[in-house]
Every structure is written in structure tokens, then in C-alpha cells.
Amino acid sequence: MAVVLLFALLWAIVARASGAGECSQPPKLENGMLEDRYRGKETFASGSRVSYLCNPGYIFSQNDRRSITCNEGVWKSLRATCKPKSCGSPGEIMNGYYQGDNTFGSKITFYCNEGYILVGRNYRLCEVDGWSGQVPTCDVVKCPDIPDIENGRISRPSTESWEYGMVAEVSCHGDYSLIGERKLICESDGNWNHPFPKCKDVKCPAPDIPNNVRMVSIYKPTYKYQEQISFRCEEGYEMEGDGRIVCGEDGKFSPPPPTCTPRKCNRPPELENGLLEDQYRGKERFASGSRVSYVCNPGYTFSQNDGRSITCNEGVWEPLRATCTAKSCGSPGEIMNGYYQGDVTFGSKITFYCNEGYTPVGRNDLFCEADGWGGQVPTCEVVKCPDIPDIENGRISRLSAESWEYGMVAEVSCHGDYSLIGERKLRCETDGSWNHPFPKCKDVKCSLPDFPDNVRMVSTYKHTYKYQDEVIFQCEEGYAMDGNSVIVCGEDSNFSSSPPSCTQSLHAHPPVPMQNGSEIVGHSWSGGGADMSNCRFSPVPTIVSWL
């Protein structure tokens, strides 16, 4: 038993060694296959070479490598391709053409030119052995023969039959009229382009001509088939019907002769700011003698003696002399303490304005409408100022009116020694405000500050001074002033500035008396004599009265 197992193992090792480097089945070739001798094999030894064939209908491309080799278990690359074979030209078709591809497996389709019909199968297939079937033919289309025409003749063709594109001409004998087309053409569908004509003896007697109609054509007692007569109307008339009639196959003219009626008018002229009365609107034509009337649009009226109607006279309307003018709304009403501006005619607007110190109440404009003024006249109310609050330590001159109105003046005064800070009189302005801020009454006392010995106080001395009291100073003889010669008591109980100082001046002169008991103080001058001619003052002098 052990001997048998050992033998089997050795055989397997030898068998495995002998199969090293083999290839499996070769790759497939699209539209091709292996040569017969290689088909069915599962493995190929290293170095084996196989060859390919193209399927029927296919051929190798030029320079293709049609064989590959097994190299230690791997096939070399397959570079061959099988492409469809060409069947070449399918054959020419007279009076026709074909469309399609000529390679294996393709189909071409045959077509005939206009006027020809295909005989045979209309396609061919590119097969392994070439084109299938036969090339069809294109035969010319033929039209049916034209039957003999009584009292006429047909131009016969030189061929045995009428073929596509041929033209047959028909003519009639003597005075017979051709009913139908003179030339017939054989069409591509095998039919004639018109019905077969006929020759007929047609005579149309001259028609009766209505009044006011004139014949333009030459008069004949009788007319042949399709002869025409033309007409026109006499002046002032217009035609109703056709102005040309034709002799028909039945020996009668068609249509009947026209009639001429007095010329009609087109739509009447438009009236500015007016329109036609209802019964005339929408009509496009008006008979001669027709009369139409107009009405004015709402808000407009006819002017005096206007002609409100016009008449159509043989196609022409009388001149329209009517005019529609805007109605007046009259006076809108007076407005107390105000006025208005603007036009009072329909469609216009007036605007109301109030006099100075008055303000409008209500809409400030009105429109003149068809029924009169739209809206109410506004009113002008007097402008009112806010009440003046009570003034502490003072009083206001109250009026008998309940409120302060535009133009009123309020006067303010203070009790006792209280000073009025602000304006004494307040006036109510047009915008409803007072012309000055509200004043106040205040106890103001300014104490006179000390001043140098060489400074003299010209004004009356007081222990205390009230609001806006002034104190006036001047310098002693020989001194010039430095500072303000006048100081004023302010709301804060302080003077506007400190008293001035006086410094000795080389050019100072005594004060010069002035007329009416006045003198120039607090200043120096130079040049001139006692009459001050050619004097130069510095700074501008202050004139004070002697006490």
C-alpha cells in the first residue's frame, strides 16, 4: 500500500513539472475566429502559435498580424481587426438614384426622379457574396389618352402614349368657344393638370343697362364665351355690384350688371368735445340726403346759434360748424378773510388762499365738474397763539377775547421794584407764535464797585442800581481813560464790566464845554486850539449831559 502511494506522488510531481508555462485559450477576435485546427483545445504549450480567420463578409485590415504566440503562460497581444467587406457599386439606375452604405450588412434604397416610377424591388443588401437581387428600373409616368373633342381637335404626340411633361393643346372649330383650359400637361402622378375641355357654341345677348350706368366696353349685340363688359357710374353716383361682367358657358353674363346709386358718405367728421347722437353711432356708410345730429360731452355745451346737424350731399358731408365749449361753474362762493385763483370752466381747478394771519380749514382746491363745483368752499380761521403763562412778580395786559389771535399785542409789567427781563410788548405772529420769548420779572440790584481816585463818576450816584441802569465815568484833567466809560447793570446783579482806569497823559487837556450843557468825557485829543479844529479823538468820545 505504501508503494502505491509513493508512486502516485511521484507521478503528480512529474505531471506538474511537465505543465509549467502553458497558456489557456487564446483571446477572441471580434468578427473573426481561430482556424479550425485550434478550436476545442483548452491549453497550449509555451511557444505554441495560433492563427485567426475573419467571419464571412469580413476581411483583415492591411498589415494585420493574424497569429499570436504563447510565451510562458501569456499570449502576445492580438493586433488583428476584421472589418466589413465592400460590395462596390450596386449598379447605376437611369432616371433615378440610390442612397445608403455599400459595406457588408448594409442596405441601399433606390429612388426615381420626378415623373418616373420604380419597377422592381427598391433596395439591395450587401451580402457575403455581393449585392442581393437586381437593379430596378425607372419607367416614365404615362397619362391616359385624351378622348376626341366634339367640334375641336387635339395636338397628338409623336410617341404612342402621353408621357410625363408632355403638353396637349386643344382648339375649337369655327366660332365654337373652348370651355376649359387650352393647354393640358401630363403630371408626375399620371394625371392631367386640368379636366378635359370641350368646344361649345356660346352666345350671350347684350344685357340691359340700368340708369346712371355707362358701358365702357364696345357694344355688341352678342358676346362669345368669357368676353367681358366693363361699366362705370355717372358723376355723383357710386357703384353697387361688380364693374365687370363675363359671358358664361350657359349663355348668360355673370354677375348681373351693377347699379349706380347716389354716392354715399363715409363716417361723419368728429366733433371736438362732442359725439354723434346714439342712433348714428356705429354706422360706416350714409346714403345721400342723410342727416345726422351731434351732442356735447358732459361738461360742455354748444355755442350760441351753432348748427348741430349736417347732411350728406352726394358723398360729401356739409361743413361741421358746431363747437362744444366748456361750461362755466360760476363763482364757487366767497371765502371770508381769503381769496381764490383759477379758472371756473369745466375741467379747471381753483385754489383757495387765506389772508395773512389766517389758516384754511377744509380742502384748499375745487374742481369744476359736469354738475358744478365738486366739494365745499373752505373757511379761513384766524391764527391763534398759545396763552402766555402767568409771570411771577408781574402782570400781563389781558384782553376781553378768549384767546390770543394774530396781530394782538400783550404788554407785560413788573410789580414794585422788580425789573422786566425781556421785551415789554409781545405780538402774535402769522405762524401762531409770539415774536419774542416770554419775559420775566426779577429782583435785580447791582452794587457800584470801587473805582480809582482819578476816575470821576458823572452819572447820579445810587446805593444800588436796577436792571439796565448805567453808570458813566470820566477821567480827571490830565488823565486818559483805559476801559469802558459806561457800565450797565445786568440780569445777574453784576455790572457789564469793571470801572475804567485813568492814566496820566502828556497831551491831555481839560474837558471842552459843549453846547446845551454837554461835554466830551473819557477821551483825549491832540492838535488844534480851544475850538477843537483839527483835533483827533481817541477813542471815539462819549457825550454826557451835565447834572
Side-chain angles (χ1 to χ4, degrees):
M1 183 65 178
V3 174
V4 175
L5 291 175
L6 180 60
F7 178 77
L9 180 60
L10 292 173
W11 182 87
I13 293 172
V14 173
R16 182 176 300 172
S18 64
E22 291 182 348
C23 291
S24 59
Q25 289 189 353
K28 292 183 179 181
L29 174 62
E30 187 178 4
N31 299 317
M33 56 188 163
L34 288 168
E35 289 184 356
D36 290 344
R37 61 181 178 274
Y38 307 119
R39 296 175 200 165
K41 290 185 67 174
E42 295 296 329
T43 59
F44 295 81
S46 181
S48 299
R49 187 178 186 82
V50 295
S51 300
Y52 289 84
L53 299 173
C54 284
N55 294 339
Y58 293 85
I59 60 173
F60 283 109
S61 298
Q62 193 174 9
N63 299 324
D64 271 352
R65 297 172 66 180
R66 306 177 188 183
S67 301
I68 59 175
T69 302
C70 174
N71 185 13
E72 294 183 358
V74 179
W75 290 104
K76 288 188 176 181
S77 298
L78 178 60
R79 294 191 175 94
T81 54
C82 291
K83 63 180 183 180
K85 293 195 303 184
S86 173
C87 288
S89 172
E92 295 301 321
I93 178 172
M94 292 294 291
N95 301 309
Y97 59 95
Y98 62 84
Q99 291 179 344
D101 193 7
N102 63 355
T103 57
F104 173 72
S106 300
K107 180 177 85 169
I108 62 167
T109 304
F110 291 91
Y111 302 91
C112 289
N113 298 336
E114 185 179 20
Y116 292 84
I117 187 169
L118 193 73
V119 178
R121 197 168 66 175
N122 70 334
Y123 69 89
R124 297 186 77 182
L125 301 176
C126 181
E127 299 176 343
V128 173
D129 298 327
W131 291 108
S132 66
Q134 301 294 323
V135 178
T137 58
C138 289
D139 290 350
V140 68
V141 170
K142 296 181 179 180
C143 287
D145 196 19
I146 303 174
D148 291 336
I149 295 178
E150 187 177 1
N151 300 313
R153 70 180 185 84
I154 306 165
S155 59
R156 296 291 177 180
S158 58
T159 58
E160 296 181 356
S161 59
W162 293 99
E163 297 179 355
Y164 165 71
M166 288 184 173
V167 178
E169 292 195 21
V170 181
S171 59
C172 294
H173 302 322
D175 289 336
Y176 284 88
S177 298
L178 182 67
I179 311 300
E181 296 295 326
R182 184 175 301 279
K183 289 185 177 182
L184 304 178
I185 301 174
C186 180
E187 300 279 274
S188 60
D189 60 358
N191 295 314
W192 293 98
N193 65 330
H194 295 294
F196 298 140
K198 52 187 174 181
C199 291
K200 190 174 180 181
D201 186 14
V202 177
K203 291 184 175 61
C204 292
D208 294 331
I209 300 176
N211 293 332
N212 305 312
V213 178
R214 291 184 180 180
M215 181 187 292
V216 178
S217 307
I218 299 175
Y219 174 80
K220 297 180 183 180
T222 59
Y223 294 82
K224 297 177 64 177
Y225 175 65
Q226 286 197 330
E227 281 192 315
Q228 299 179 0
I229 300 177
S230 297
F231 301 94
R232 68 177 177 85
C233 290
E234 293 182 354
E235 189 174 356
Y237 291 81
E238 64 181 6
M239 187 174 293
E240 292 185 358
D242 291 331
R244 181 177 298 174
I245 61 177
V246 182
C247 177
E249 180 184 351
D250 58 357
K252 297 179 181 179
F253 278 100
S254 177
T259 58
C260 291
T261 57
R263 186 176 298 155
K264 293 182 179 180
C265 290
N266 294 324
R267 296 178 63 183
E270 293 185 356
L271 173 62
E272 187 176 5
N273 299 316
L275 66 165
L276 286 168
E277 291 185 349
D278 290 344
Q279 64 265 33
Y280 308 117
R281 297 175 201 166
K283 290 184 65 176
E284 297 294 330
R285 301 279 286 168
F286 294 80
S288 183
S290 298
R291 190 170 184 81
V292 296
S293 300
Y294 291 84
V295 293
C296 286
N297 293 338
Y300 293 84
T301 183
F302 284 109
S303 300
Q304 193 173 11
N305 301 323
D306 271 350
R308 306 178 186 184
S309 301
I310 56 174
T311 303
C312 172
N313 293 321
E314 295 183 355
V316 180
W317 288 105
E318 290 179 338
L320 176 59
R321 294 188 173 89
T323 54
C324 290
T325 56
K327 293 195 300 186
S328 173
C329 286
S331 172
E334 295 301 320
I335 176 172
M336 292 294 293
N337 300 308
Y339 59 98
Y340 65 84
Q341 292 179 344
D343 194 2
V344 297
T345 57
F346 172 71
S348 300
K349 180 182 78 170
I350 61 171
T351 303
F352 291 90
Y353 303 91
C354 290
N355 296 337
E356 186 178 27
Y358 292 84
T359 183
V361 177
R363 201 173 71 180
N364 70 335
D365 54 26
L366 291 180
F367 288 89
C368 180
E369 300 173 352
D371 299 328
W373 291 108
Q376 300 295 324
V377 177
T379 58
C380 289
E381 293 186 354
V382 66
V383 171
K384 295 181 180 180
C385 286
D387 196 20
I388 303 174
D390 292 335
I391 296 178
E392 187 177 3
N393 301 312
R395 71 180 185 85
I396 306 164
S397 60
R398 300 287 180 181
L399 299 179
S400 58
E402 295 180 357
S403 58
W404 292 100
E405 298 178 354
Y406 164 70
M408 289 183 175
V409 177
E411 292 194 24
V412 182
S413 60
C414 294
H415 301 322
D417 289 337
Y418 283 89
S419 297
L420 183 69
I421 311 301
E423 297 294 329
R424 184 174 302 278
K425 290 185 178 182
L426 304 178
R427 185 175 185 275
C428 183
E429 299 286 272
T430 58
D431 61 354
S433 64
W434 293 98
N435 64 331
H436 295 295
F438 297 141
K440 54 188 175 181
C441 290
K442 192 174 180 180
D443 185 15
V444 177
K445 291 182 176 63
C446 293
S447 298
L448 183 65
D450 295 334
F451 52 91
D453 292 339
N454 52 7
V455 176
R456 290 170 52 194
M457 187 174 70
V458 179
S459 54
T460 302
Y461 173 80
K462 297 179 182 180
H463 182 67
T464 57
Y465 292 84
K466 296 175 65 178
Y467 176 63
Q468 286 193 334
D469 279 351
E470 293 182 348
V471 178
I472 305 171
F473 299 93
Q474 72 176 19
C475 290
E476 296 281 351
E477 183 177 357
Y479 289 84
M481 184 175 290
D482 184 10
N484 293 320
S485 62
V486 179
I487 60 175
V488 182
C489 180
E491 180 184 351
D492 59 354
S493 295
N494 291 314
F495 279 100
S496 58
S497 64
S498 300
S501 61
C502 293
T503 55
Q504 193 170 13
S505 173
L506 297 176
H507 301 286
H509 291 274
V512 180
M514 304 296 289
Q515 293 181 356
N516 300 321
S518 299
E519 64 179 346
I520 301 174
V521 298
H523 299 275
S524 62
W525 63 89
S526 61
D531 61 355
M532 296 190 302
S533 60
N534 300 317
C535 290
R536 296 188 299 274
F537 291 96
S538 175
V540 177
T542 301
I543 300 175
V544 298
S545 299
W546 293 346
L547 299 177

